[in-house]
Amino acid sequence: MNDKETSKQKIYDSLFFMKQKREKEISVLNDTVSLSAYRSLARKTEEGFVWTQALQTALQEHERIIIEPSEDIYFLDNTVCIPSNRHIEAIGATVRLCKDCNVLMLRNEHTRDGTHFPIQGCEKDCNISIHGGRWEESNSKRLGYGASGRYAPVSDDDENREFYGVSTCMLFNNIEGLSLSDMTFAHTAGFAVQVGDIKNAVFENISFVSCYADGLHVNGGSQNLYLSHIKGEVGDDLVALNAYDWQNSSVNFGEIRNVVCEHLQLSASSRYKAIRIEPGVYRYDDGTTVDCGIFDTVIKDVRGIRTFKLYLQTPPYILGESPEFGKVGSVDNLFFEDIEIDLTAPIDNFGPYKAQDPLLGNFAAFELGANIGNISFENIRLTLHEDEWKYSYLVCIGPKSSCINGKEFFDPYLSCHAQNLIFKNILINGEPVKDILSLIREIEFHDVNKDGFSTGKGTVGSITFNGISVK
């Protein structure tokens, strides 16, 4: 077994033991109650029975809560807070946020906002799990950051936008030990699930039905994650591994390490066929920085995705003004395996990409913009449409640029380097690849926007193809 295979096996082995540990932790939660025992705390409304107080009280008083199967919907009209050592069983049940409820549905008790300084030295939650159920919002479109899924204290009706970077149906952070399994999410206007500063988490058999933003949105400070059999229709990323992120979509910044993300299937009806994997350098209020790197991660058996976006992207800025602070982050031991991609068009099909600009319009199935140690691509089956898109590739590395109405949407001033690219068993349009170098594009800009913030380049060190060094 070579070093690459050893590293990958270590990731799988460690997460196998983590999953076993999680199963044991869940199994000891035996103090059980059915939610119907708290029916007296439910109240009738025009929509149906609202169970917010009943569920909250049950969670305060018992370890294992059974939400019984029912044709009736269990409505919630405020956030329910889950303490440590709790399990919710909801097979056959539908839980829905009431109309006009713009706060998130579920969160753990000791959530923390790490936007302004790192989360450290505070009490964490542990051992929370949810199995089964259909979890809905009452929305028909994406509403925008902060317009839905807001963070609000459970103790009052405050709907101010506390935790600015939270816009989700469920939030779990500052926690060790989380399991979500056999769950369906529907009509979520923000993220379905947002997590960060989390250790030892399992997400299995998660489906999305008419969801309008990200499915699973993973932010920084996350370690030992197993994601498997994630599928369905979302409006943005099916899964996002955003160690770095914008302040309007994260409250957790730092490394993502030791992850397996496998068996992913995006519905053809999904609007945006991408998975974002975003490293970067984040700066706190006091000027200190953290490398939000992504390490020891396997992404395997993926269908329906057109592009993997592995680059820093800061918020858009007006030409002539300074962009927001941002530096490329680190990546090492990242493995892509058993992936089918039909690259029918650029994932960002606007501006120079749509115009097929020979310099600015290069795009790829894997777009890199990080300082990378080892990255591996194995059993990749890519369909290219070169007659229609002549600047399409398997891999691009380097800056991106697209200016519309005087606003830059990417970061053309950033440079990055990949030390080792490793390829094995690559098929293009059904045929084995003979010349891997022709499928890799290093991008270099020289003040392309004439603004002093648009010079950068991407470079590659060594390239190994089917076990042979070709560069």
Side-chain angles (χ1 to χ4, degrees), residues 272-290:
Y272 197 68
K273 296 175 172 59
I275 285 180
R276 183 177 289 278
I277 305 162
E278 187 165 17
V281 175
Y282 180 76
R283 184 168 64 187
Y284 292 107
D285 290 356
D286 63 0
T288 60
T289 60
V290 58

Side-chain angles (χ1 to χ4, degrees), residues 232-341:
E233 182 184 51
V234 293
D236 209 333
D237 303 307
L238 180 65
V239 173
L241 301 179
N242 288 13
Y244 164 92
D245 210 333
W246 298 354
Q247 287 191 358
N248 65 4
S249 50
S250 180
V251 291
N252 303 100
F253 303 89
E255 291 185 358
I256 293 177
R257 183 181 290 273
N258 213 48
V259 178
V260 166
C261 188
E262 61 183 1
H263 312 310
L264 310 182
Q265 177 69 61
L266 181 69
S267 297
S269 57
S270 295
R271 183 184 64 84
Y272 197 68
K273 296 175 172 59
I275 285 180
R276 183 177 289 278
I277 305 162
E278 187 165 17
V281 175
Y282 180 76
R283 184 168 64 187
Y284 292 107
D285 290 356
D286 63 0
T288 60
T289 60
V290 58
D291 183 358
C292 304
I294 297 171
F295 308 101
D296 303 328
T297 295
V298 179
I299 299 175
K300 180 179 179 181
D301 184 20
V302 183
R303 305 292 185 269
I305 298 299
R306 191 191 305 171
T307 297
F308 290 85
K309 308 178 75 168
L310 182 62
Y311 54 81
L312 172 70
Q313 185 175 3
T314 61
Y317 62 93
I318 297 172
L319 291 182
E321 297 183 358
S322 298
E324 183 176 291
F325 172 85
K327 294 182 179 180
V328 297
S330 302
V331 172
D332 199 14
N333 285 342
L334 178 57
F335 303 89
F336 292 100
E337 183 176 348
D338 186 16
I339 296 172
E340 292 184 0
I341 296 176

Side-chain angles (χ1 to χ4, degrees), residues 133-293:
R134 181 180 171 100
W135 305 84
E136 300 184 347
E137 294 179 2
S138 298
N139 295 301
S140 59
K141 63 181 179 180
R142 186 169 187 171
L143 297 179
Y145 296 114
S148 71
R150 295 180 180 185
Y151 183 101
V154 170
S155 58
D156 56 37
D157 294 325
D158 181 9
E159 292 187 356
N160 294 324
R161 194 176 173 189
E162 193 178 357
F163 281 41
Y164 182 80
V166 170
S167 185
T168 185
C169 181
M170 297 185 184
L171 170 70
F172 301 98
N173 82 354
N174 190 41
I175 182 173
E176 181 170 341
L178 174 72
S179 298
L180 304 181
S181 59
D182 293 339
M183 300 171 69
T184 297
F185 292 86
H187 307 294
T188 54
F191 308 139
V193 179
Q194 183 174 354
V195 302
D197 277 278
I198 185 170
K199 183 178 181 181
N200 299 344
V202 177
F203 307 88
E204 284 190 291
N205 301 317
I206 307 294
S207 298
F208 305 103
V209 178
S210 296
C211 291
Y212 309 117
D214 289 359
L216 295 182
H217 187 86
V218 180
N219 287 130
S222 299
Q223 180 180 355
N224 300 342
L225 311 181
Y226 181 72
L227 301 83
S228 179
H229 292 95
I230 314 298
K231 66 180 182 179
E233 182 184 51
V234 293
D236 209 333
D237 303 307
L238 180 65
V239 173
L241 301 179
N242 288 13
Y244 164 92
D245 210 333
W246 298 354
Q247 287 191 358
N248 65 4
S249 50
S250 180
V251 291
N252 303 100
F253 303 89
E255 291 185 358
I256 293 177
R257 183 181 290 273
N258 213 48
V259 178
V260 166
C261 188
E262 61 183 1
H263 312 310
L264 310 182
Q265 177 69 61
L266 181 69
S267 297
S269 57
S270 295
R271 183 184 64 84
Y272 197 68
K273 296 175 172 59
I275 285 180
R276 183 177 289 278
I277 305 162
E278 187 165 17
V281 175
Y282 180 76
R283 184 168 64 187
Y284 292 107
D285 290 356
D286 63 0
T288 60
T289 60
V290 58
D291 183 358
C292 304

Side-chain angles (χ1 to χ4, degrees), residues 405-419:
N405 297 325
K407 180 179 287 189
E408 173 63 71
F409 284 81
F410 296 101
D411 299 277
Y413 51 90
L414 296 177
S415 294
C416 56
H417 179 73
Q419 184 60 42

Side-chain angles (χ1 to χ4, degrees), residues 437-456:
L437 295 179
S438 66
L439 297 168
I440 303 168
R441 175 64 186 256
E442 295 173 304
I443 299 172
E444 183 172 0
F445 292 164
H446 294 283
D447 199 19
V448 293
N449 291 334
K450 305 294 189 287
D451 65 345
F453 289 108
S454 51
T455 297

Side-chain angles (χ1 to χ4, degrees), residues 56-70:
Q56 186 65 72
T57 305
L59 285 165
Q60 292 300 127
E61 297 180 352
H62 298 275
E63 294 177 331
R64 184 178 290 262
I65 313 303
I66 308 299
I67 304 177
E68 298 100 320
S70 175

